[in-house]
Amino acid sequence: MALSEHEQRLLDQLEQQLHADDPKFAHSMASSTSRSMSTRRIVIGSLVTIAGVAVLLLGIWNQFIPVGVAGFLIMGAGVYYATSKTRLDGAAPHSGKGAKASSSAGGGFLSSLEEKWDERKRDQP
């Protein structure tokens, strides 16, 4: 369901306030392309995991514990590689320095939300 124009404006204002008040948190929560899951990483990680399971089973079959432990470590490394996200080159974190100055004059994020809420309540019959 699409947002109305008013809702979209409010969402944009909330996003700007979040970037102004806590840019580090806003950057970590952003759904940008700077960090993404890669199909290539998933496939390679899955293959490494399967190889680790094979080495683990080989170690169990031969009853040689170090080979089994190595297989388990290989398997864990494959899962980690497959589920980790990559950072693309040239992606710089968003800096909220300019927005920080404007938000401190307005009283902060929560007071802005309270003002918006009061404004909405006044507009309703």
Side-chain angles (χ1 to χ4, degrees), residues 43-78:
V43 170
I44 292 172
S46 298
L47 292 174
V48 170
T49 302
I50 291 169
V53 170
V55 171
L56 175 68
L57 292 175
L58 182 68
I60 291 171
W61 184 63
N62 287 332
Q63 296 181 353
F64 193 57
I65 292 175
V67 174
V69 171
F72 181 78
L73 293 175
I74 292 170
M75 187 174 55

